[in-house]
Amino acid sequence: MPLPQKNTEIISDLKLWNQLIADDKAAFSALFEKYLNPLVNYGKTLMPSHEKVKDCVQDVFVDIWLYRHSLSDEVVVKAYLFSSVRKRIARLYERDRIFRQTTPLEDLEFSLKFSIEHSMINDETLDLEVRQLNQLLNTLPPRQKETLYLRYHQGLSLEQIAEVLEINHQSVKNLLHRAILHLRKEWKGSISLLLIGGYLAL
């Protein structure tokens, strides 16, 4: 199971972030290249149009560069970027009248279908169980799936997930607890649920 974001990664990102604030274009490019694909992949779970999602991600980075001198020099860069992309997509939905102007961000529906990697199981006899476990994961409500994705696939801490989803820490804990409780209650197979976090993948 991947651990939450490593300190070395946080330090590296923060160093690039502060260099960016100090007008370093190379640092800006490094962050853009590092996070473009993860942010696009996340954005596609909220909006099906690849091009629109990519435009949203690029717009986020354009704003970061334009307003770099007003940015805080103490942020968790990964959480900030994911949160910014989520907000940008929500505004695009509002502009296109897919949602009403009053629609809150939490109504964005997370649409990723989890898929446990067959190659990571290495046992053909477990193929049926893998399919059944995938089905069980995908019966979870969108909000619980998104929380699992951010926690186990992106390695964000509970505090960082709360920032991305704009909810409090306790709400994140509740979402994870309900998701895991449901999986433990419904799962009858032999694959340990302790391994699920390490197998969640796009």
Side-chain angles (χ1 to χ4, degrees):
M1 179 183 298
L3 296 174
Q5 202 172 30
K6 296 179 181 178
N7 289 337
T8 53
E9 181 179 345
I10 294 174
I11 294 170
S12 175
D13 284 354
L14 192 57
K15 182 177 180 180
L16 290 172
W17 184 259
N18 285 306
Q19 289 172 341
L20 178 164
I21 292 174
D23 301 334
D24 188 332
K25 291 183 179 179
F28 171 80
S29 296
L31 278 177
F32 179 79
E33 291 174 6
K34 178 177 181 179
Y35 283 110
L36 175 61
N37 287 335
L39 290 171
V40 168
N41 287 336
Y42 175 58
K44 287 191 297 184
T45 69
L46 303 170
M47 172 179 283
S49 171
H50 178 85
E51 290 305 316
K52 286 185 178 180
V53 168
K54 194 170 182 180
D55 287 344
C56 285
V57 173
Q58 291 174 338
D59 287 345
V60 165
F61 277 96
V62 168
D63 282 352
I64 286 172
W65 182 253
L66 289 176
Y67 302 108
R68 60 193 180 279
H69 296 149
S70 62
L71 295 173
S72 171
D73 58 0
E74 293 185 4
V75 298
V76 178
V77 177
K78 187 173 187 177
Y80 178 90
L81 293 173
F82 273 73
S83 177
S84 298
V85 168
R86 197 175 198 278
K87 291 174 184 175
R88 179 75 62 165
I89 290 173
R91 288 200 296 270
L92 183 59
Y93 271 125
E94 291 172 353
R95 189 194 71 186
D96 291 346
R97 297 182 181 178
I98 295 174
F99 289 120
R100 297 190 303 275
Q101 290 290 334
T102 55
T103 298
L105 277 173
E106 59 265 25
D107 283 352
L108 281 179
E109 185 163 313
F110 185 81
S111 62
L112 174 72
K113 286 191 177 298
F114 282 124
S115 178
I116 295 177
E117 300 272 349
H118 287 241
S119 60
M120 298 178 72
I121 301 295
N122 291 325
D123 187 341
E124 292 182 3
T125 63
L126 295 180
D127 184 70
L128 177 59
E129 283 200 7
V130 169
R131 291 200 299 271
Q132 291 172 340
L133 186 50
N134 282 331
Q135 290 174 357
L136 179 58
L137 282 164
N138 289 304
T139 62
L140 293 171
R143 197 68 157 167
Q144 292 179 23
K145 286 170 62 178
E146 185 171 9
T147 306
L148 283 174
Y149 170 84
L150 292 171
R151 177 65 171 167
Y152 295 113
H153 189 78
Q154 294 299 334
L156 297 186
S157 69
L158 301 188
E159 292 78 9
Q160 293 160 11
I161 295 171
E163 177 183 343
V164 172
L165 300 182
E166 293 196 313
I167 57 179
N168 60 47
H169 177 272
Q170 187 60 47
S171 294
V172 174
K173 288 182 67 175
N174 291 344
L175 285 166
L176 284 172
H177 176 73
R178 287 196 294 268
I180 294 171
L181 193 65
H182 176 76
L183 292 174
R184 286 176 176 168
K185 179 181 178 182
E186 299 298 329
W187 178 240
K188 309 301 181 185
S190 62
I191 300 174
S192 173
L193 288 178
L194 293 175
L195 301 178
I196 288 179
Y199 292 145
L200 295 182
L202 286 173

